[in-house]
Every structure is written in structure tokens, then in C-alpha cells.
């Protein structure tokens, strides 16, 4: 039996690989500081609005929360994220977020979510979860996703969370350095890895890792394209044109804002569709899924109507 809803890769205008499902309670001091840093547009956080936003723009997205206890923000459980993606399977796929410092409890949750096919990958935020990606504390979680050949997405570089707060809100930027991810790529060569964000101030290191390791990608979320370094643009236009992904960082940066600035940056015309949708469609196997669905429909599957 196939899902009643699925992402129609052929009709997508763009695929946003970086969308946060956030709490809808009263904003915390951390939320306010992040909104000020981004000059945020006040995009809706409620989940029905997120689905409608992407659906109305013929976009799909990867959604996740951040499992952390440093910022003081209310947590959004992985099951809530998974439920949202299941209810809106025509526009969303879910990633789990699991804090490796939770130990065996997090591994059990990962195994449950992966075995039940509730998630299609994992989101990590080392600065908020306070670990280096190559710390062995994280390896049992990697093993769960590597076995299933599901991607892991890492926050890299500067952190908007904590910016401008006393002591940076306790967030230590060192954990966002991309080079420790190189060890993870060596130890789990069949596990796709996405380095989220232009990795300021370590952009060259991120490019090197992405260039060297076949399964490593870069998403462009969290920054307006007008701030991208010339080096990042150069490599995205050439050697890394099949390994760079569109991401916004919704709700703090919306696709509308990101795409408007993207139009003004010197990306090659033949590279733009790769970044906006085609690289993500290939990474997540959506072309194959679409062809399988068409084949089932053509053969008159016995499961129709079940």
C-alpha cells in the first residue's frame, strides 16, 4: 500500500531542507534575541500555517525540532514533528532531533522512530547540545541512522541562538566547527551528511570536507544569500554544484526572503535548479519514489482502496 499523499517531485518549485517546527508558546528571551538578530519577518509558527505556506508555493521541506536543554525554550517532541509530516506528506518529511548526551534513552527513541519509518533523517545542533560531532558519545546514534542509510544534518558555524545575549546564552561556538564532521564522514561512509548553513567563520573548512567526502552536502540556510562568501559561490557554481542544497531556516528566514536575495547573487543559471530542488530530490530519492508510485498505479495494484 502506498501513502495517499506523497511529494510530487516533478511539480516542485523548490525543496527547503531546513525548516524548524517550534513551540507556539509565549516567546522566550532566546526567541526574542534570535528574532532581533535575523530581523525576523514574524512568520507563523503554528503548524497548519507552515503546511499551507509550503503547499501554496509548490515547495516541499524537511522539518525538525531541536532536542536541547540549554536555551530554555519549550521542547517539541519528535513524535509531534513526525505526525505533522505524516499529515502533510505532500509537502514535508520529518527528521528526528536527538541529544546524544541523553545516552541510551536517545538511542532507543532513534531506533523506534527509524524502525517505524516515522523519520527520514536526523538533525544535530552541536552548539546547543554541547558536543563535538566526532565525540564517541554520539556514535551509537549515528549507527542507527547509518544502518538505514538515512542522512544526518549538522548545524555548523555561527549560532543565531544566543547571539547578543549575555555570555551568548551559554552557547559555545567551538562546537559548530565543521572539521570534526570529517571524522564522522570517515567512520560512516554510507551515511549521508548535510552541513547546515554557510559555516562562518569556517567556510573554507566546510568546503574542503564537502569536496573530499562524497556523501557530504552543504545547505545554505540561516543566511541571506547576499552574505555568502565569494568562495562559497564559486564552489557552488562549479565543483560542488551537485552537493549544495537550498535551505531557509524558517521561521526566522522565510523562503520568500531567501529566494528574493538568491536572485540577486551570481549563481549560474544551470546551477540554480540544482540548488533549489534537484540535488535534494536526488538525495532523498524522490524521483525513484515517484516512478515507483506511477508504476503501481499503471499496474492496477490490488491495494487500491484499502
Amino acid at each position: 500500500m502506498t501513502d495517499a499523499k506523497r511529494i510530487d517531485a516533478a511539480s516542485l518549485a523548490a525543496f527547503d531542507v531546513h525548516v524548524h517546527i517550534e513551540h507556539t508558546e509565549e516567546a522566550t528571551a532566546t526567541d526574542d534575541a534570535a528574532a532581533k538578530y535575523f530581523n525576523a519577518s514574524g512568520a507563523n509558527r503554528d503548524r497548519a500555517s507552515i503546511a499551507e505556506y509550503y503547499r501554496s508555493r509548490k515547495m516541499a521541506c524537511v522539518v525538525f525540532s531541536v532536542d536541547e536543554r540549554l536555551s530554555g525554550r519549550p521542547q517539541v517532541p519528535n513524535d509531534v514533528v513526525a505526525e505533522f509530516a505524516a499529515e502533510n506528506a505532500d509537502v514535508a518529511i520529518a527528521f528526528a532531533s536527538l541529544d546524544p548526551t541523553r545516552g541510551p534513552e536517545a538511542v532507543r527513541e532513534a531506533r523506534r522512530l527509524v524502525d517505524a519509518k516515522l523519520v527520514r533523517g536526523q538533525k544535530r545542533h552541536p552548539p546547543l547540545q554541547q558536543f563535538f560531532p566526532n565525540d564517541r558519545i554520539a556514535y551509537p546514534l549515528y549507527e542507527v541512522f547509518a544502518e538505514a542509510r538515512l542522512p544526518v544534518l549538522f548545524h555548523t558555524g555561527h549560532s543565531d541562538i544566543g547571539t547578543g545575549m549575555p555570555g551568548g546564552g551559554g552557547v559555545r561556538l567551538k562546537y559548530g566547527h565543521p572539521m570534526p564532521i570529517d571524522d564522522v564522514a570517515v567512520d560512516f561512509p554510507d551515511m549521508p551528511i548535510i552541513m547546515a548553513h554557510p559555516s562562518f567563520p569556517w567556510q573554507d573548512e566546510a568546503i574542503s570536507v564537502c569536496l573530499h567526502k562524497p556523501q557530504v552536502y552543504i545547505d545554505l540556510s540561516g543566511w541571506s544569500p547576499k552574505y555568502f562568501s565569494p568562495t562559497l559561490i564559486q564552489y557552488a557554481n562549479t565543483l560542488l554544484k551537485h552537493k549544495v542544497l537550498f535551505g531557509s531556516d524558517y521561521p526566522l528566514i522565510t523562503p520568500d526572503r531567501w529566494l528574493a536575495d538568491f536572485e540577486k547573487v551570481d549563481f549560474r543559471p544551470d546551477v540554480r535548479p540544482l540548488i533549489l530542488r534537484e540535488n535534494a530530490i536526488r538525495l532523498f530519492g524522490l524521483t525513484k519514489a515517484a516512478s515507483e508510485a506511477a508504476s503501481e498505479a499503471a499496474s492496477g495494484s490490488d491495494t487500491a482502496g484499502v
Side-chain angles (χ1 to χ4, degrees), residues 178-201:
M179 192 52 71
I181 295 171
D182 188 62
D183 286 338
V184 181
V186 170
D187 295 335
F188 297 94
D190 295 323
M191 182 178 74
I193 292 171
I194 303 170
M195 295 188 293
H197 316 309
S199 303
F200 174 83

Side-chain angles (χ1 to χ4, degrees), residues 22-35:
E22 298 195 334
H23 71 90
T24 54
E25 302 174 31
E26 184 176 351
T28 67
T30 302
D31 294 322
D32 291 339

Side-chain angles (χ1 to χ4, degrees), residues 53-235:
Y53 182 99
Y54 283 87
R55 191 172 287 120
S56 67
R57 289 159 175 78
K58 295 186 177 180
M59 296 182 189
C61 58
V62 173
V63 293
F64 45 73
S65 59
V66 179
D67 180 23
E68 54 89 13
R69 287 142 193 85
L70 180 63
S71 72
R73 296 183 300 169
Q75 299 291 291
V76 178
N78 286 312
D79 285 300
V80 170
V81 176
E83 181 180 11
F84 169 83
E87 292 174 349
N88 299 280
D90 59 317
V91 295
I93 63 175
F95 274 25
S97 181
L98 297 147
D99 184 345
T101 66
R102 287 169 48 200
E105 175 195 5
V107 177
R108 287 192 295 271
E109 182 175 354
R111 180 65 67 187
R112 175 179 65 82
L113 292 168
V114 169
D115 288 351
K117 300 186 184 305
L118 296 175
V119 298
R120 298 273 296 275
Q122 180 184 180
K123 156 72 171 181
R124 289 290 182 85
H125 200 304
L128 290 183
Q129 295 169 335
Q130 304 179 84
F131 77 104
F132 286 109
N134 59 355
D135 190 321
R136 287 304 190 269
I137 193 175
Y139 274 51
L141 280 171
Y142 298 144
E143 290 168 0
V144 174
F145 287 84
E147 288 172 11
R149 295 179 181 259
L150 295 177
V152 175
L153 184 151
F154 291 91
H155 172 98
T156 65
H158 184 82
S159 175
D160 59 288
I161 301 300
T163 294
M165 299 182 71
V171 176
R172 301 178 190 274
L173 297 178
K174 64 181 180 181
Y175 294 123
H177 199 298
M179 192 52 71
I181 295 171
D182 188 62
D183 286 338
V184 181
V186 170
D187 295 335
F188 297 94
D190 295 323
M191 182 178 74
I193 292 171
I194 303 170
M195 295 188 293
H197 316 309
S199 303
F200 174 83
W202 306 292
Q203 186 62 74
D204 288 355
E205 288 90 335
I207 288 172
S208 177
V209 174
C210 187
L211 187 63
H212 194 258
K213 301 300 187 292
Q215 83 275 30
V216 176
Y217 296 76
I218 291 174
D219 92 30
L220 300 176
S221 66
W223 295 79
S224 163
K226 65 185 177 182
Y227 293 115
F228 292 172
S229 73
T231 303
L232 176 59
I233 295 170
Q234 177 186 1
Y235 275 87

